[in-house]
Structure formats: structure tokens, C-alpha cells
Amino acid sequence: MTGEHTYRVSATWTGDRGTGTSGYRDYDRSVTVEVAGKPALPVSADRPFRGDGAKWNPEDLLIAALAECHLLSYLYACVQAGVVVTAYEDQAVGTVVVEGNGGAFREVVLHPRVVVAEAAMVDAAVSAHADAHEWCFIANSVNFPVHVDPVVVAA
């Protein structure tokens, strides 16, 4: 599957409390993110940046995108390798360094825990993480390291 794919997302600020951005504490960081034909996603800044901690924030979404992209690429890599995956979960962790008014991710570490159908598949399942990492669109698009620390066990 080659070619170019375009994705469109609408982000609308919904946090005007009546005075706009008249002061740093005078506005809410609420935003609605939408993609045509999909449910709207209420998001915010993270709590340390005066956001709503109960909502997804850009940092959460980026780590989630990395984790999901690796997961989907990994499932495909396993199919290609003849590995039957019966369960997959990840506890991804990202570290952001804030300097002045900006900052950047230092790294993200994915911690996938995979269950495969047979013990004979474990080695190939571990190796499939390298292909998945190489194929992940999101990991290929960021300018910080994305590490994968997998555990694979047989059912």
C-alpha cells in the first residue's frame, strides 16, 4: 500500500470565559477536536499548564498515537511471521522536558506485554517488534527516541 494519505482534524477552542485571553488565568484550555464522521473529542492542556486533568491532552494523545501505531504495526508483523497473538497491552511512558515557555519530549518507552498462542512463537514474536518499530508511521515522524521494551509469553 503505497501513496500519500491526507488526514484532516478540526480543533476548536471552547474555553472563552467571557473575556477571551485577557490574562493567563482568565481563559479555559478546553478544546474540541473533531474528524468528520467520528465522535468529537473534548481535550485540554495538562493540569500543570492550567488544563483540565480529566480530559485528554496533547501529550497523552501523542503517547497514545505511538502506542497504538506500534500495536497495529506489530500485529501485522506477527501475521507476516506466522505468529498468533492472543493478547496485547502496553503501558507506555513519555518524558517531557520543559524549558522556559516551551519544551519537548525527551523519549517515549513502550512496554508491550504480548501473549502468543504457542511457546514456539515467542522468539519470532519478540523479533517482530523490530519490524513494527521500523514500520510505525508515528515513530518515524517524531524527533525523539521511541524505545520498545517488550515482554512476550506463551498462553
Side-chain angles (χ1 to χ4, degrees):
M1 183 183 335
T2 60
E4 189 171 293
H5 304 271
T6 302
Y7 298 87
R8 288 178 170 68
V9 174
S10 170
T12 305
W13 176 51
T14 58
D16 183 3
R17 295 179 181 154
T19 60
T21 57
S22 58
Y24 183 69
R25 290 177 168 77
D26 298 337
Y27 63 96
D28 193 78
R29 275 59 175 181
S30 292
V31 174
T32 300
V33 176
E34 296 177 276
V35 173
K38 299 178 183 179
L41 182 61
V43 297
S44 181
D46 195 12
R47 188 181 309 273
F49 309 107
R50 304 197 55 79
D52 182 345
K55 295 179 181 176
W56 287 79
N57 61 60
E59 297 80 10
D60 294 335
L61 292 167
L62 181 57
I63 295 169
L66 284 162
E68 182 185 2
C69 187
H70 184 85
L71 183 159
L72 295 171
S73 298
Y74 180 76
L75 296 178
Y76 176 70
C78 285
V79 167
Q80 296 299 307
V83 173
V84 177
V85 174
T86 60
Y88 183 115
E89 64 178 53
D90 190 354
Q91 300 297 319
V93 178
T95 303
V96 171
V97 177
V98 178
E99 297 176 8
N101 288 328
F105 272 90
R106 178 178 10 184
E107 69 176 1
V108 168
V109 181
L110 306 178
H111 297 279
R113 184 178 190 292
V114 179
V115 179
V116 296
E118 300 173 13
M121 297 176 175
V122 169
D123 289 343
V126 170
S127 295
H129 282 287
D131 286 336
H133 186 65
E134 181 182 325
W135 299 339
C136 175
F137 302 158
I138 308 303
N140 286 323
S141 301
V142 298
N143 66 351
F144 54 84
V146 177
H147 305 287
V148 181
D149 183 22
V151 173
V152 178
V153 297

